[in-house]
């Protein structure tokens, strides 16, 4: 772990590192972006995900289990739009994650919207509006 601060600890910099963690399927890199007491909510529910993760370690454990069990390999995150807020801690991002299901070779595309609050270089709150039907439709049955 590096002792030097990230180049951009604001919402855009954290978003870039968040996307890298998704593409690497690294639960540790993702969780390290969160404050100890952060909240990550999933307002659009679908099987396999709780309504929220409370705290950095739940984010770590939840994504480790989710990504470890999933044959989906994310290959790109396409930004549709990023909306800066009048609140300097908040960014809202429309994006689509694309990739391949390794067990079938089928492509997948999951649109979503993130509302992220970053304080002191760490995520303190995320609302993750992910298209659950796109996720479950991409997986083998």
């Amino acid at each position: 772990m590096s002792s030097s601060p990230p180049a951009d600890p604001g919402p855009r910099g954290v978003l870039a590192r968040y996307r890298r963690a998704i593409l690497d399927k690294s639960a540790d890199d993702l969780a390290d972006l969160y404050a100890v007491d952060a909240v990550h909510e999933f307002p659009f529910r679908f099987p396999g995900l709780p309504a929220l993760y409370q705290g950095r370690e739940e984010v770590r454990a939840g994504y480790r289990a989710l990504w470890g069990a999933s044959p989906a390999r994310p290959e790109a995150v396409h930004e549709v739009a990023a909306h800066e807020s009048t609140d300097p801690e908040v960014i809202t991002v429309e994006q689509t994650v694309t990739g391949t299901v390794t067990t079938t070779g089928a492509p997948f595309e999951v649109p979503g919207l993130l509302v992220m609050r970053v304080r002191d270089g760490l995520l303190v709150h995320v609302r993750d509006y992910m298209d659950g039907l796109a996720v479950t439709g991409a997986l083998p049955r």
Side-chain angles (χ1 to χ4, degrees):
M1 201 162 217
S2 173
S3 61
S4 63
D8 178 2
R12 284 254 179 212
V14 171
L15 175 62
R17 294 192 318 274
Y18 184 95
R19 288 176 171 162
R20 182 77 257 152
I22 288 171
L23 293 174
D24 293 342
K25 287 179 78 170
S26 174
D28 288 329
D29 289 349
L30 185 71
D32 289 347
L33 296 173
Y34 286 76
V36 171
D37 59 350
V39 174
H40 186 121
E41 295 180 81
F42 299 98
F44 295 159
R45 300 290 309 277
F46 61 95
L49 278 183
L52 64 84
Y53 293 133
Q54 183 73 47
R56 176 188 296 153
E57 295 313 312
E58 277 193 22
V59 168
R60 186 183 318 277
Y63 273 94
R64 182 174 285 136
L66 181 69
W67 287 339
S70 174
R73 182 182 67 233
E75 295 164 350
V77 180
H78 306 278
E79 184 173 295
V80 175
H83 307 279
E84 306 279 337
S85 170
T86 55
D87 182 336
E89 293 184 339
V90 176
I91 189 167
T92 301
V93 181
E94 299 173 63
Q95 63 184 25
T96 301
V97 177
T98 58
T100 304
V101 178
T102 59
T103 54
T104 65
F108 70 84
E109 182 175 295
V110 178
L113 182 124
L114 296 169
V115 181
M116 306 173 104
R117 178 174 294 278
V118 175
R119 187 172 299 133
D120 298 325
L122 295 172
L123 290 163
V124 294
H125 191 243
V126 175
R127 295 199 82 196
D128 191 343
Y129 297 90
M130 188 180 348
D131 182 347
L133 290 176
V135 172
T136 55
L139 300 177
R141 297 174 208 265

